[in-house]
Amino acid sequence: MNIFSVSDVTYRYQNVLALDHISLDIEEGQRVAFLGANGSGKSTLLRLLDGLYFAESGLITFRDEPLIPHMFEHDSFAFDFRRRVGLVFQNPDVQLFNPTVFDEIAFAPLQLRWPKQEILQRVDEALERMEIQQLKHRPPHRLSGGEKKRVALASVLVLDPEVLLLDEPTAALDPRSESQVIELLSGFAGNQKTVVIATHDLAVVADIADHCFVLQRGQVAAQGAPKTILDDTALLERVNLIHGHRHRHSSGIIHSHPHKHPHEH
């Protein structure tokens, strides 16, 4: 069953085309990676899937329900959707605004009017899961980048959503925090959750995704299993995810070799 269907969707930022008649389906329980360089449309697509932006033309559905502004005017749909679908932004500072880490993680359950005891239990579980119990009473704005990212993740995981949308989840993390996030996402294999990740970090794709969509200029340039995509050097060069480096040998001959490093932005 498709949990999301994207059908002929176009989206612009004023006059800048971000998504160009894009179509794709995401199956329930899949771990999907949107791969692409900056400007490919992957972050924009995540925001449309989260109902933060709405298609200029075409249609996105969640479990066959259209994600259109009219639907979010009804509390019954909006509250249910926000509980079932969670988005973690690339920059956690966009997401964190409460005075303490505890308040941050408890914010969404409070908005959903959960019982007090359930909120306290779920917050403690989220703190433990992300190994940030010691940060419980700290102000988020005084945390390190890796700590902020883990708090942002905890603030979404506390709702136990069916769908996790993550924008560059390993960006700017220290090695320990990156390993923790990769381990978390790897643990969702086997249809525990639907996970959709936007990234250009090719080094983590095989561990965190079952299926890849490669985006270029707002369209799907290719799709397939991670190994198939990662082995296609010509494709990765074409969409600017890897670069060709030239080397001069002692004989004077110059060879060009592809280097599969993440594209830095």
Side-chain angles (χ1 to χ4, degrees):
M1 175 182 176
N2 291 331
I3 195 164
F4 286 110
S5 287
V6 179
S7 303
D8 199 30
V9 164
T10 295
Y11 185 86
R12 301 172 197 270
Y13 295 98
Q14 296 181 344
N15 294 324
V16 178
L17 185 63
L19 297 174
D20 184 10
H21 297 280
I22 190 171
S23 296
L24 57 87
D25 293 319
I26 297 172
E27 296 178 11
E28 185 173 6
Q30 268 191 321
R31 295 180 306 155
V32 169
F34 294 154
L35 302 178
N38 269 10
S40 62
K42 60 187 188 297
S43 294
T44 301
L45 184 53
L46 276 191
R47 284 156 175 73
L48 268 75
L49 295 179
D50 194 51
L52 296 179
Y53 300 166
F54 298 101
E56 172 187 314
S57 62
L59 182 66
I60 296 179
T61 61
F62 171 73
R63 296 194 179 280
D64 296 326
E65 295 277 6
L67 296 185
I68 55 177
H70 171 73
M71 296 294 291
F72 287 88
E73 293 171 4
H74 302 284
D75 286 347
S76 58
F77 178 84
F79 275 65
D80 183 61
F81 182 83
R82 295 300 172 206
R83 182 188 63 77
R84 297 166 77 180
V85 179
L87 171 64
V88 180
F89 290 88
Q90 176 179 358
N91 180 1
D93 288 323
V94 174
Q95 197 160 347
L96 306 178
F97 55 88
N98 281 285
T100 70
V101 168
F102 174 87
D103 295 325
E104 197 67 61
I105 299 172
F107 180 79
L110 283 168
Q111 303 311 301
L112 295 174
R113 306 184 185 97
W114 287 5
K116 180 179 178 180
Q117 280 307 120
E118 184 176 1
I119 292 175
L120 293 173
Q121 179 183 338
R122 289 287 195 95
V123 170
D124 282 342
E125 289 171 354
L127 288 165
E128 183 176 357
R129 187 172 195 178
M130 297 310 301
E131 299 180 11
I132 51 174
Q133 301 96 317
Q134 74 281 7
L135 306 178
K136 184 174 182 178
H137 301 296
R138 295 270 304 276
H141 70 274
R142 293 189 177 178
L143 303 179
S144 70
E147 289 170 337
K148 288 178 181 179
K149 182 83 81 168
R150 285 189 278 166
V151 172
L153 270 163
S155 71
V156 171
L157 291 173
V158 69
L159 297 179
D160 193 24
E162 296 175 22
V163 181
L164 272 176
L165 308 173
L166 302 111
D167 196 356
E168 300 288 359
T170 59
L173 291 183
D174 57 85
R176 179 176 176 275
S177 297
E178 179 177 309
S179 295
Q180 187 177 26
V181 170
I182 292 171
E183 184 177 343
L184 172 73
L185 299 177
S186 299
F188 292 136
N191 302 324
Q192 290 188 35
K193 289 186 187 298
T194 304
V195 182
V196 185
I197 302 142
T199 187
H200 62 260
D201 187 352
L202 302 182
V204 304
V205 171
D207 291 324
I208 63 177
D210 310 310
H211 190 81
C212 300
F213 291 98
V214 181
L215 272 60
Q216 183 181 35
R217 292 191 292 274
Q219 297 180 324
V220 176
Q223 64 171 300
K227 186 179 189 313
T228 302
I229 297 299
L230 295 175
D231 286 348
D232 192 340
T233 300
L235 167 68
L236 297 177
E237 284 193 287
R238 188 168 70 250
V239 300
N240 204 27
L241 282 169
I242 62 173
H243 298 288
H245 289 247
R246 291 184 176 179
H247 303 277
R248 181 184 295 273
H249 296 264
S250 57
S251 63
I253 298 174
I254 297 175
H255 284 146
S256 180
H257 305 283
H259 280 221
K260 290 192 177 182
H261 300 312
H263 188 81
E264 299 297 335
H265 300 283

